[in-house]
Every structure is written in C-alpha cells, then in structure tokens.
Amino acid sequence: MKRFAAAFLSVLFLAVPALTGATVAQAQEGGARLRIDLAGLSPRVITTSTTAMTVTGTVTNTGDRRVAKPQVRLQVGDRATTERGVSDVLAGAVIKDTPLTEFTPVADVLEPGQSAPLNITVPLTGTRAERFARPGVYPLLVNVNGTPEFGGPARLGAVSMLMPVLAGPGKQAASNRGGAPSMTLLWPLTGNIPHVYAAPYGSPMVLADDRLAAEISGDGRLNALVTAAASAVRSNSNLAKSMCFALDPDLLATVEAMSRGYLVHTDTGNVDGKGVDAAKGWLSAVRSLVGTRCVVTLPFADADLDALTRIRPGDASLATRAAGGAETIEQLTGATPLTGVLWPGGTPSASVLTALTDAGVRTVLADAGKLAPAAAGGGVTVQGSAVRVQPTDSLISAAMTGVPSVPDSVTVAATTERAVASQNGLGALAFRAGLGQPTGQQRPDHLLVAPPRRWDASAAEFGTYLEQVGAFIEAGLVTSTGLSALLADGPATSGSVGDGGQDPAGGIDAGVVSTLAGIDVQATGLAAAMQIDPTKRVKPDDVVEPVRLAELRGASLAWRGLPAAAATTNAQAELAAISGRVTVSQPKQTIALASGNSPLPVYVSNDLPVGINARFTLNNNTGLRPEDAKDWFFPASGGKNYFLPVEALRAGRFSVDVSLSTPTGTPLGSSARFELTSTEYGAITIIATVAAGVALLLLASRRIYRRVKDARAGRDVVD
C-alpha cells in the first residue's frame, strides 16, 4: 500500500508541472504572439471592375517562444447591417466569417523578435467574387495562425477591417440612389504635442526638441496632411467643396516663430534650431491651401476647455482665451475662419458654455454621442444657452480613431496600421451613407466627418483616403456640402449635452490642473507686483503673457497618456524665465559689519522691462536680525546696492541666505549666501552683557557681605 501511495504521488508530482505548463501556454496563447504590420491593401473599395485583392506586410514574433509554421489567410464575414455589427469589427470581436483563401505559409519558424514578409493576392472570381456579390460593407480579416513552442495550433495575430463594396466584381453597378446624405469633411491641422519649451518676452522662442521641424517637412505628418489635401482639392472640386480645415492657433504661431529663428533646449544648453526653412515652406503651403476655403478654429493648443475652467474655479477667462484664436489664424494665414465656430475636444460643461459665449462662439462641433439621444440627429441649441452644437458622426469618428479592443483578443483594428489607417473610416462612412443597409432603414440627412485630431498615417494613406472619399461623392453615395451651408440651416431642436457625464480617461490629469493652478497664482502675483517703466512702456501683462499661453498648452488634450510632468514643463519654464530676471547677486567676498547695527549691502539686478516691488527674506540667520519686512521697489533694466537694515546678535563669523519674493509670495531669482564677520555687539547683546555683569556684581557683593558678617560673629563669640 505504501509503495502504491509513493508511486501515485510520484506520478502526481510529474503531472502537475505538465498541467501547469499547459495552462500557462493556453493563457499566453490568449494574447497576440504575432504582430501584423500591413504595408498595403488593394483595392480599398471593391467595384464592378475589381478583379483581385492584394494584402502585403510583415509578420513579427513578439512573444518569448518560437512559433512553428506561421501561416496566413484572408477571411470575410457577412455584410454589416447594424451599427453593432460595425462596432464589433472595430473592437476586434470574434465574428462569423468564412475563408476567402487557403492558409499560405509565412515561414517555417519565427524565433522571438524575427519577422517574415506577408504577401497574398487572391483573384476575385467565381465563388470568391460571390462573397462580395451585393453592395455593402463587409468585415475582412487578415488571420495568422501558428504553433507556439509548448502549445498547440492557434490564431496568434489578426487585423480586422471594413471593406466597402459599391458593386460586386463583374456585377452591374447600381444606379445612384435618391436621398443620399450630404457630407462635410473636417481636416485637422494640429501638432502631436505642444513643442514650446519657453518663449520669454523679448527673447527667441525655445522648443523642447526639434521634432516639429521633421513634422512640417518631407514625409512628416503635418506636411503630409497639407500636401495630400492640396493635391485632392486641385483634382476634385466636389471634394474641395466638402472640406473645412481645422487649424490650431498655437501650432501656427509656433511655426511662424520658427520661421524667424529659434532655439532648441538640450541638457547642455540651447542650440540653434534647424527648421527655419521648413517653417517658411510649410506656412506658405498652408496659406495657399486655406486662403479662400472653409476654415474653423481649434482651441489654442487644442486645450481642454473644461480643465481650464478648473485652473481658476469660478473664472472662465482662460477658457475664453483658448477659444478666441480666430484672429491669430487670420493674421498668420490670411484665411477668415467661420465666425463664431469652434471645434473643441470633449463636451462643453456649463462653465465652458459661459466661456464660449464670452469668446463670441455660437456654434460648437462635438461628438453626437455626447448629445441627448433625442437631439442627436442634427444641430442642437443647448438648453439654457445661446450655443449651438453641431454633431460630428460618432461611428465614423470611432472607426478612424480606434475603439477599446475586446479583452484578450488577438485581433487589432486596421486603425493601428499606418499604411491602411483610414480603411475602417472609409467603411464606416459607406455604412452610415446607407450602403447595403435594408430598405427603409433610417439614414442621417447629413454626415459631419471628423478624423482624429492627431491622425497619424503615411503621406500615401492621407492621399488614398481623400481619393476614396472623392470617389464616394462621384458614385453618388454621398453628396458634397460645405460647412457654411450646413450651419446656415437652423438647429433641429434644443437639448442637453454631456448626458453620459465626463469621461475620466478623456480629460486632463487632476495633478496637472493643480500644478497649473499654482503656477497661475504665482504669475498673477508677479503681474500685480510689476509697474510700467515710463521709458520702456511695457505692460506687466505682456511680460507675464508667456505663462498664460503655457497654461493653455499644459491643458492640451495632446498630453493624455503622457507623463503629467511633461504637460507642465512649459509653464514652469516660463515662470522661471520671468522670476529669474530679478535676483540677488552672490557676494564675491566676506562682508564685515563695522558695528552691531551696520546695514547689509545687497546688490539686486532687475533685467525685466518693468519695475517690480519685492521683499527681502533672510534665512539661516541665527547671528543676524533684520527689520520687519517691507516692500522695496526695483527699477526696470538695472541693478544697484540696497542697504538692508540688520542687527548683529553676536560677534564672529557667520552666514545668512538672502532672497527676494513678491508681496504675494512668488519667489524671485535664487537665494544668495552672504558670509559675514562682526566685531561689534548689537544692543541686545550689550544689554544682556551689562545685565549679566550687574548680576555677577550683586552676587559677589552678597558673598563678601556674608563673609564679613560671619567674621564679626566669630570675634563676638571669642570675646
């Protein structure tokens, strides 16, 4: 019996690792082990003349185990008839599909980190053509299977996308349908992040790095957006009619400053920027593109307006400033933005609506998903305000931006693939236009298409997207309508916004808001302490203006997902650049105090173009007592010695730290350490010494008196 038990336990101990290994392998196989990078997809839309489909790219082993026999095939699902069906494709959910091709080997083995090319061309004839026989939007899947080490065959990576079919291959194209919705396309030009490190009053602009120079030249994202749009509007007047360019005033102002010469911040000091010519060329291209076309304003630096209202609770002036960039756009491009129209990120809260009204904004472009359901079909006048919200199409925006993936899914959306990033946007646009939907299903009258504000795709992809949207217009799937014409119609109804509440992941980090609020208070203290110099005539608000603009940049929606410290770097640098120009100079030698109440000579330099009131503060001053704090005035652009009344509390050598701050407590410059010597005693020391001497004299007198008294008493006893 004991031998049986021992044998059973031995088998059990051997089996446990095997079972555990299988469980781990299965768990690891639940996530993608292979990454698919698509380099091409042709065609992007299937029409009657389509004869084949080609998919190219690479497959990379991103796991920690070798994968044997990786193989790829294309799979296609039934055409989508509901928004839920489209949303499932966008999220990478498992859908019912059938093979369009057989599995094709990618490589014999893929070691961890190893890549192999993917290349599939499939004729769309016979039964394959029948899979796309009817017009509609079809789910298309690029599926890669393989056998990971210590595991079994499984799907290890996949990319899902929407494939619009205007007409089946070889089928007669359907005649243009009546009632096609009109369409307006927004084309955003805003930076990936705000790039300004510091731009102090009267000094050259300093960028945090020189990446913006790359973005506005060559194949850079911003240059590609402008180049693709310019080519498209030249070749397709109907498409040009539908387009409206959304411009970021901060981006334009930054590039304009670059064109005049700028610096780049490095760990070892500032260096000259290399993008002066690129800035001049890009600005010229933007002016040529938008000069006579529709333009709408983005908030300055694409700032989160709600966050700006929280920097100054009860004061919407920062949000008002962010919303008022139309004048900057007109000044730098020559184009006049649509009056009172703004495309902010997020949903306008009550405080934001107040700021918008103060800024003269009467129309806001916002996600239809943020509107009350009853009002989501058209323009809405927000209840309790005069602001109109014109909805952008939520489904199309989600398709182009990307949606959260299904947990543990190995499938990603085509939105993540730069070479085909617009494919799902094209599919969603075709679906929303009614392609392949059941007869009688309600379609919107108008589609306001809003791509991602920081849409990242290749130059070729931007061009392909615009070309296909133009083809949709030519095919009668949608009609072209300018934004001005759309807004000329009155709002459909009144309603509320933000019924779903604020998205915690969609706003600005609370720590960023708190830091910016503290900087704002210090900047206000600086401005209040400044005075206009009659010879320079520079306003204090102009000196502090760079801090205010940096606060707007710190609240940019572009910082979402990035370290919080990055968002506040510009504001902190601007504040330091101003406060650091008023400072106490470090003495080069020890200062000797000639008497106990000799004044302390302090040299203060003020390099600001304004005068400023400030107070001295003495720290580490155990040997010195200053007079009560008072305000001192330091004239603009100068420096001199100021004699600070102090009193030495002891003789000898000691040190004291001297610093400056505004009357409201904003620090100025850095503290300076003074090394002092004193041979004189202050009044308190003298009084204490005299008092001690008197006490000593009294004690000595008392002792002498007692001794005399005791001596007399002894003589009396003897007698």
Side-chain angles (χ1 to χ4, degrees), residues 443-467:
R443 295 194 301 267
D445 296 328
H446 185 84
L447 298 172
L448 182 52
V449 179
R453 304 159 93 81
R454 278 160 285 279
W455 192 11
D456 188 14
S458 65
E461 183 64 4
F462 291 137
T464 297
Y465 175 77
L466 290 173
E467 180 183 350

Side-chain angles (χ1 to χ4, degrees), residues 321-354:
R321 169 173 285 190
E327 183 178 348
T328 299
I329 292 174
E330 185 170 7
Q331 178 184 355
L332 297 180
T333 66
T336 303
L338 296 184
T339 303
V341 181
L342 187 74
W343 182 20
T347 306
S349 61
S351 57
V352 170
L353 289 173
T354 299

Side-chain angles (χ1 to χ4, degrees), residues 351-375:
S351 57
V352 170
L353 289 173
T354 299
L356 295 176
T357 302
D358 292 343
V361 174
R362 297 293 178 266
T363 301
V364 171
L365 312 180
D367 190 335
K370 303 296 184 181
L371 301 177

Side-chain angles (χ1 to χ4, degrees), residues 235-253:
S235 60
N236 192 323
S237 59
N238 283 328
L239 176 64
K241 175 184 174 182
S242 74
M243 294 184 73
C244 196
F245 298 93
L247 304 182
D248 173 8
D250 179 48
L251 173 63
L252 293 175

Side-chain angles (χ1 to χ4, degrees), residues 635-674:
S637 303
K640 69 174 185 177
N641 268 319
Y642 294 83
F643 295 94
L644 187 61
V646 294
E647 181 181 356
L649 301 180
R650 61 183 175 84
R653 187 183 182 95
F654 51 93
S655 62
V656 61
D657 295 328
V658 182
S659 60
L660 283 170
S661 63
T662 67
T664 57
T666 301
L668 297 173
S670 56
S671 63
R673 172 154 293 188
F674 286 63

Side-chain angles (χ1 to χ4, degrees), residues 683-703:
I684 292 179
T685 305
I686 294 174
I687 292 172
T689 303
V690 171
V694 171
L696 181 61
L697 180 61
L698 290 174
L699 289 173
S701 299
R702 181 172 178 271
R703 187 176 183 84

Side-chain angles (χ1 to χ4, degrees), residues 365-662:
L365 312 180
D367 190 335
K370 303 296 184 181
L371 301 177
V380 177
T381 298
V382 181
Q383 294 171 349
S385 79
V387 177
R388 167 185 178 169
V389 177
Q390 186 66 37
T392 59
D393 190 278
S394 298
L395 183 66
I396 299 174
S397 294
M400 300 182 77
T401 305
V403 298
S405 300
V406 173
D408 298 324
S409 174
V410 301
T411 305
V412 299
T415 310
T416 63
E417 306 282 325
R418 291 186 82 246
V420 294
S422 69
Q423 185 62 28
N424 284 343
L426 292 170
L429 173 58
F431 176 83
R432 293 290 283 149
L435 185 64
Q437 292 185 30
T439 303
Q441 185 164 320
Q442 185 177 4
R443 295 194 301 267
D445 296 328
H446 185 84
L447 298 172
L448 182 52
V449 179
R453 304 159 93 81
R454 278 160 285 279
W455 192 11
D456 188 14
S458 65
E461 183 64 4
F462 291 137
T464 297
Y465 175 77
L466 290 173
E467 180 183 350
Q468 293 296 340
V469 172
F472 285 166
I473 296 174
E474 298 304 319
L477 188 64
V478 291
T479 61
S480 176
T481 298
L483 184 58
S484 297
L486 172 65
L487 299 180
D489 295 333
T493 184
S494 63
S496 58
V497 295
D499 287 353
Q502 290 290 333
D503 179 7
I508 301 300
D509 184 270
V512 171
V513 174
S514 177
T515 300
L516 293 175
I519 291 173
D520 186 73
V521 170
Q522 292 189 64
T524 300
L526 272 174
M530 295 176 180
Q531 294 184 21
I532 295 179
D533 182 87
T535 61
K536 300 183 179 299
R537 307 187 65 82
V538 176
K539 297 178 181 178
D541 286 344
D542 291 340
V543 178
V544 179
E545 175 73 2
V547 182
R548 306 304 189 198
L549 298 180
E551 290 173 31
L552 305 186
R553 296 187 189 103
S556 173
L557 291 166
W559 296 116
R560 287 185 299 189
L562 297 176
T568 60
T569 297
N570 180 207
Q572 291 171 332
E574 300 288 11
L575 185 66
I578 298 172
S579 61
R581 295 175 68 178
V582 183
T583 188
V584 177
S585 297
Q586 182 77 36
K588 296 181 179 179
Q589 58 188 15
T590 301
I591 297 174
L593 299 179
S595 65
N597 58 356
S598 293
L600 180 65
V602 179
Y603 189 87
V604 176
S605 58
N606 176 15
D607 291 335
L608 293 173
V610 293
I612 190 166
N613 293 303
R615 296 175 179 177
F616 288 104
T617 300
L618 272 61
N619 294 310
N620 188 31
N621 58 322
T622 54
L624 206 65
R625 185 179 70 172
E627 287 189 350
D628 293 338
K630 69 173 185 178
D631 293 346
W632 296 68
F633 179 72
F634 305 99
S637 303
K640 69 174 185 177
N641 268 319
Y642 294 83
F643 295 94
L644 187 61
V646 294
E647 181 181 356
L649 301 180
R650 61 183 175 84
R653 187 183 182 95
F654 51 93
S655 62
V656 61
D657 295 328
V658 182
S659 60
L660 283 170
S661 63
T662 67

